[in-house]
């Protein structure tokens, strides 16, 4: 037997002894099983003719045996994704026949041995995610036949050696997620004519993108996000006619984007977010009709959106927030059936939402907040399968009743429609229709009527903000059943919808008297704000069962009676505001036992007696 492949099974043992008795084997593949134990020292002696050895994706442990250096005929060594330790062995540099070396996804540690630069036949070198700690050996530049290099997800430091330009066969270069510094050597882009993928993200690279990048006419992927790059995007990048993936987000870049970028290209992913780019977006971005992702949020872009975006019906992710875009885009995205994620917040956009927006039946995240949108939210006129999970409409001039189109959105987790001109009663069906709801903000509108008791069925609700409306009646006793507010360990707001490691859901709340946006720490926040309404009667004693509350604001109402004596059971409360009401009687002694309390306002009431002394008072 010369060929043996037992890969992709459920073999569960140490290295099989019978294989070591098959001395003529030249091809051995045991990958993707559950084999364990040490790699056999005797393997080179027992199987001296091996050309191909693949033991990847098992549970082998210990060091790579020094005896493996005797496998002088070996061309392919793949032992990635095991539990191997002990560093990258120096003897690998003497295995001169190696074409493919994959030893990543182990806990090897230590440096990259410069002797690997002797492997003149090597074509692929993969030591990703191996806890390597060293600089990049310039001698690797001697690997003139290497076309694939992946050293990502390590702790490599120092600069990119200019001698790497001698790897003239390079096609795929990935050194992302390390601690590299210095600039990108321009020689890379004059010496690698066959390069199709260049990944350098999440390092500390400085300087500008070399204009020589325009020489890389075969380049399809350019991913240099999350560094410290500055300056403009070189105009020469428009010459990369095969470019599909362009990611320069999270840098310090500025200036304008070349206006012919996209012309004649088949761009699929364009990510410029979190820089300081200005002026208009290129009008040809969607010329190839292939665009799927466009993220340019948090820059200084202005002007109207490229009209060609309407033609990119395959768009599924659009982030335009935090710029200065203008114009009416009310119908710009109504015909994008694959759209999942849309953020146009914080711009100067205008217009009403047409019925066509309900064609977006895959849409999970919609953020239209802080623009100048107006009019009523259109009702659903046809069958509508709602996939929305996160909806932000705050800070516009929307009017009309509570949007009835949302009633069928059973996956809703966050709903923020604050700071608009909505009016009328609040529907009781919210308690039934939104079983997953965690964040609900209706603040600063003109909602009237009573708070529905059925809202007590919102078992996952952690933030409720209905401040500054015209609500009447009492606080429902049934609020005691808001179970997520009882537990101080708050389940994180669902981020799975966001599909982006740097993007988080957010909510604007009044926290300890200050206007703040909570984003990454939103999962830690739980509270109720009913301030600025016309609520009356007593505070239900049952409200003190919500022991997970971190803030409670009932100010500027007509609430009366005494403050519940058991209010001290809110032991995680940090901010309590009951000012400008009609409370009477004494301040409960239990209030002094709330050790976390840092903001307290009981002013403008009819309280009497002594201020209790204790922990915080």
């Amino acid at each position: 037997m010369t060929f043996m492949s037992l890969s992709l099974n459920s073999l569960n043992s140490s290295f099989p002894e019978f294989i070591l008795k098959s001395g003529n084997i030249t091809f051995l593949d045991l990958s993707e099983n559950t084999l364990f134990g040490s790699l056999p020292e005797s393997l080179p002696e027992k199987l001296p003719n091996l050309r191909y050895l693949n033991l990847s994706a098992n549970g082998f442990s210990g060091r790579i045996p020094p005896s493996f250096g005797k496998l002088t005929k070996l061309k392919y060594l793949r032992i990635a994704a095991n539990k191997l330790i002990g560093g990258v062995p120096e003897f690998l540099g003497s295995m001169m026949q190696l074409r493919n070396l994959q030893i990543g996804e182990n806990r090897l540690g230590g440096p990259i041995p410069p002797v690997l630069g002797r492997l003149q036949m090597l074509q692929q070198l993969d030591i990703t995610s191996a806890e390597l700690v060293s600089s990049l050996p310039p001698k690797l530049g001697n690997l003139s036949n290497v076309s694939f290099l992946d050293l990502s997800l390590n702790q490599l430091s120092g600069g990119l050696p200019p001698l790497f330009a001698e790897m003239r066969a390079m096609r795929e270069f990935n050194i992302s997620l390390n601690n590299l510094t210095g600039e990108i050597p321009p020689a890379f882009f004059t010496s690698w004519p066959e390069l199709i993928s260049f990944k350098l993200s999440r390092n500390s690279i400085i300087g500008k993108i070399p204009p020589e990048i325009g020489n890389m006419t075969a380049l399809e992927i350019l991913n240099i996000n999350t560094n410290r790059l500055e300056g403009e995007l070189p105009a020469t990048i428009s010459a990369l006619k095969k470019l599909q993936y362009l990611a320069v987000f999270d840098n310090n870049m500025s200036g304008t984007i070349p206006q012919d970028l996209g012309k004649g290209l088949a761009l699929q992913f364009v990510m410029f977010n979190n820089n300081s780019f200005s002026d208009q977006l290129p009008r040809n971005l969607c010329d190839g009709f292939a665009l799927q992702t466009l993220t340019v949020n948090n820059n200084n872009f202005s002007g109207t959106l490229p009209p060609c975006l309407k033609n990119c019906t395959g768009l599924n992710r659009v982030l335009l927030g935090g710029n200065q875009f203008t114009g009416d885009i009310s119908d710009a995205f109504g015909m994008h059936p694959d759209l999942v994620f849309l953020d146009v917040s914080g711009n100067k956009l205008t217009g009403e939402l047409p019925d066509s927006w309900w064609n977006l039946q895959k849409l999970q995240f919609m953020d239209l907040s802080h623009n100048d949108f107006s009019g009523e939210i259109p009702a659903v006129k046809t069958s509508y399968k709602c996939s929305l999970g996160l909806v932000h409409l705050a800070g516009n001039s929307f009017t009309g009743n509570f949007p009835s189109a949302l009633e069928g959105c059973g996956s809703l987790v966050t709903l923020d429609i604050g700071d608009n001109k909505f009016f009328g009663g609040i529907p009781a069906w919210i308690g039934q229709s939104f079983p997953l709801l965690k964040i609900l903000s209706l603040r600063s509108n003109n909602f009237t009527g009573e708070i529905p008791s059925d809202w007590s069925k919102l078992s996952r609700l952690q933030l409720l903000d209905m401040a500054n409306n015209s609500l009447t009646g009492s606080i429902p006793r049934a609020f005691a059943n808001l179970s997520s507010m009882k537990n101080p360990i708050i389940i994180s707001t669902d981020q799975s919808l966001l599909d982006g490691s740097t993007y988080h859901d957010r909510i604007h709340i009044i926290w300890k008297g200050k206007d703040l946006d909570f984003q990454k720490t939103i999962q830690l926040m739980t509270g109720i704000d009913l301030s600025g309404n016309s609520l009356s009667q007593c505070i239900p004693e049952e409200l003190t069962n919500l022991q997970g509350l971190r803030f409670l604001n009932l100010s500027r109402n007509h609430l009366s009676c005494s403050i519940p004596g058991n209010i001290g059971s809110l032991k995680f409360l940090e901010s309590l505001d009951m000012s400008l009401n009609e409370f009477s009687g004494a301040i409960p002694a239990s209030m002094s036992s709330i050790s976390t309390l840092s903001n307290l306002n009981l002013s403008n009431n009819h309280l009497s007696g002594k201020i209790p002394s204790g922990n915080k008072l």
Side-chain angles (χ1 to χ4, degrees):
M1 188 187 300
T2 59
F3 181 102
M4 180 180 289
S5 177
L6 301 173
S7 64
L8 280 161
N9 283 287
S10 300
L11 302 178
N12 183 15
S13 70
S14 57
F15 192 94
E17 284 291 329
F18 78 91
I19 292 177
L20 298 176
K21 299 176 183 178
S22 307
N24 290 324
I25 289 180
T26 60
F27 183 104
L28 177 61
D29 188 351
L30 302 177
S31 63
E32 299 191 62
N33 282 286
T34 51
L35 299 170
F36 56 84
S38 302
L39 298 177
E41 286 270 2
S42 61
L43 187 141
E45 177 188 348
K46 301 293 186 180
L47 305 178
N49 298 316
L50 272 180
R51 267 75 166 175
Y52 180 100
L53 176 61
N54 189 352
L55 306 177
S56 295
N58 279 287
F60 290 116
S61 57
R63 295 173 175 265
I64 302 172
S67 63
F68 275 34
K70 298 176 183 178
L71 292 168
T72 56
K73 299 178 182 179
L74 200 64
K75 297 182 179 181
Y76 298 87
L77 177 58
R78 296 175 175 171
I79 49 177
N82 281 286
K83 300 176 181 179
L84 301 172
I85 59 172
V88 180
E90 295 259 349
F91 68 75
L92 292 173
S94 62
M95 301 175 70
M96 305 306 292
Q97 295 299 313
L98 279 178
R99 268 74 163 174
N100 188 305
L101 177 59
Q102 297 181 16
I103 56 176
E105 296 181 71
N106 286 291
R107 304 189 66 178
L108 297 173
I112 301 173
V115 293
L116 295 185
R118 299 176 184 172
L119 301 176
Q120 292 296 306
M121 306 292 286
L122 199 64
Q123 298 170 5
Q124 294 193 30
L125 177 60
D126 185 345
I127 322 180
T128 183
S129 189
E131 300 185 6
L132 302 178
V133 182
S134 73
S135 57
L136 293 168
K139 289 187 177 180
L140 291 186
N142 296 330
L143 301 176
S144 58
N145 287 305
V146 162
S147 61
F148 179 97
L149 177 68
D150 191 344
L151 302 175
S152 62
L153 280 159
N154 285 293
Q155 300 174 45
L156 302 174
S157 58
L160 293 166
L163 283 175
F164 274 25
E166 299 301 316
M167 300 178 179
R168 297 185 182 276
M170 187 65 68
R171 289 176 57 81
E172 298 180 60
F173 181 83
N174 187 0
I175 205 158
S176 300
L177 290 120
N178 280 287
N179 303 316
L180 297 171
T181 55
E183 300 186 6
I184 302 172
F188 284 9
F189 300 135
T190 56
S191 302
W192 295 347
E194 298 181 24
L195 190 69
I196 61 173
S197 176
F198 186 77
K199 298 179 180 179
L200 192 57
S201 63
R202 299 197 184 186
N203 282 284
S204 296
I205 301 297
I206 62 172
K208 300 180 178 181
I209 301 174
E212 288 84 353
I213 196 168
N215 296 321
M216 299 289 92
T217 54
L219 196 66
E220 298 175 5
I221 298 173
L222 177 61
N223 189 356
I224 47 180
N225 74 79
T226 320
N227 281 285
R228 299 177 184 175
L229 294 166
E230 55 189 23
E232 296 189 353
L233 195 67
T236 55
I237 208 164
S238 299
L240 306 180
K241 298 304 181 185
K242 295 185 178 180
L243 194 63
Q244 299 175 19
Y245 187 104
L246 174 58
V248 298
F249 60 89
D250 289 337
N251 278 289
N252 301 317
M253 300 184 70
S254 58
T256 60
I257 304 297
Q259 284 302 302
D260 56 350
L261 180 67
K263 191 173 184 179
L265 304 186
L267 285 169
Q268 297 178 26
F269 301 88
V270 176
M271 288 169 274
F272 296 149
N273 44 298
N274 301 321
N275 282 285
S276 297
F277 292 121
S278 58
D279 208 356
Q280 298 194 15
L281 285 176
R283 308 198 68 75
N284 303 305
L285 264 181
C286 207
D287 265 12
F289 305 107
L291 198 62
Q292 299 175 30
T293 293
L294 176 62
T295 64
V296 300
N297 47 305
N298 301 324
N299 280 282
N300 297 312
F301 289 115
S302 59
T304 57
L305 296 176
C308 70
L309 287 180
K310 292 183 180 180
N311 302 324
C312 280
T313 55
L315 272 172
N316 57 52
R317 182 176 171 85
V318 179
L319 274 66
L320 309 176
N323 286 285
Q324 300 175 48
F325 291 120
T326 58
D328 185 339
I329 64 157
S330 58
D331 204 23
F333 297 103
M335 302 304 294
H336 292 75
D338 293 326
L339 197 61
V340 174
F341 196 113
L342 176 64
D343 178 4
V344 297
S345 64
N347 284 287
K348 300 176 181 178
L349 300 168
T350 58
E352 299 185 9
L353 298 190
D355 296 343
S356 61
W357 278 69
W358 303 125
N359 295 330
L360 307 177
Q361 300 196 24
K362 294 182 181 179
L363 191 64
Q364 297 178 21
F365 182 100
M366 179 170 66
D367 191 345
L368 311 181
S369 62
H370 303 293
N371 281 283
D372 294 316
F373 292 116
S374 58
E376 297 188 15
I377 305 296
V380 177
K381 296 182 179 178
T382 57
S383 61
Y384 172 51
K385 178 185 175 184
C386 180
S387 301
L388 285 168
L390 308 170
V391 174
H392 295 267
L393 304 178
N396 284 286
S397 296
F398 287 119
T399 187
N401 291 311
F402 187 94
S404 62
L406 298 175
E407 185 172 1
C409 300
S411 300
L412 210 58
V413 173
T414 296
L415 176 60
D416 182 3
I417 62 173
D419 293 288
N420 279 286
K421 298 177 181 178
F422 291 112
F423 56 79
I426 303 171
W429 52 254
I430 289 177
Q432 296 276 3
S433 299
F434 303 152
L436 305 180
L437 197 66
K438 295 183 180 182
I439 298 170
L440 176 60
S441 178
L442 312 180
R443 69 175 298 115
S444 300
N445 282 284
N446 194 30
F447 288 116
T448 56
E450 298 189 3
I451 302 172
S453 295
D454 273 4
W455 283 19
S456 61
K457 297 174 182 177
L458 298 172
S459 61
R460 300 194 182 191
L461 194 67
Q462 66 183 62
L463 279 173
L464 175 61
D465 188 349
M466 295 192 289
N468 303 326
N469 281 283
S470 301
L471 301 174
T472 56
S474 60
I475 300 172
R477 293 182 180 275
F479 270 17
N481 298 321
L482 295 171
S483 50
S484 282
M485 294 187 183
K486 296 179 184 179
N487 190 342
I489 303 173
I490 303 302
I491 300 171
S492 171
T493 300
D494 191 353
Q495 300 295 323
S496 62
L497 298 175
L498 303 185
D499 186 28
S501 59
T502 61
Y503 204 95
H504 298 261
D505 193 18
R506 57 180 174 76
I507 190 68
H508 177 88
I509 59 175
I510 306 298
W511 171 244
K512 300 183 180 180
K514 297 180 180 179
D515 287 6
L516 292 177
D517 280 314
F518 280 79
Q519 192 177 56
K520 292 183 179 180
T521 56
I522 195 172
Q523 71 272 14
L524 303 176
M525 189 52 57
T526 178
I528 296 175
D529 191 344
L530 303 178
S531 62
N533 283 284
S534 297
L535 300 173
S536 59
Q537 302 183 40
C538 307
I539 297 177
E541 189 78 32
E542 292 86 348
L543 203 66
T544 61
N545 292 338
L546 305 181
Q547 297 183 11
L549 288 180
R550 296 186 184 272
F551 72 88
L552 177 61
N553 191 346
L554 305 178
S555 66
R556 294 179 290 118
N557 279 286
H558 303 300
L559 297 168
S560 58
C561 306
S562 58
I563 298 173
N566 196 31
I567 197 159
S569 63
L570 302 179
K571 55 186 177 181
F572 294 95
L573 205 62
E574 297 181 43
S575 179
L576 175 63
D577 191 347
M578 295 182 167
S579 63
L580 290 156
N581 277 287
E582 299 170 18
F583 293 118
S584 59
I587 300 172
S590 68
M591 192 175 290
S592 65
S593 65
I594 307 176
S595 61
T596 54
L597 197 62
S598 60
N599 279 63
L600 173 64
N601 191 351
L602 304 178
S603 66
N604 291 281
N605 280 287
H606 307 300
L607 299 171
S608 58
K610 293 183 177 180
I611 298 174
S613 61
N615 222 353
K616 284 286 182 179
L617 299 182

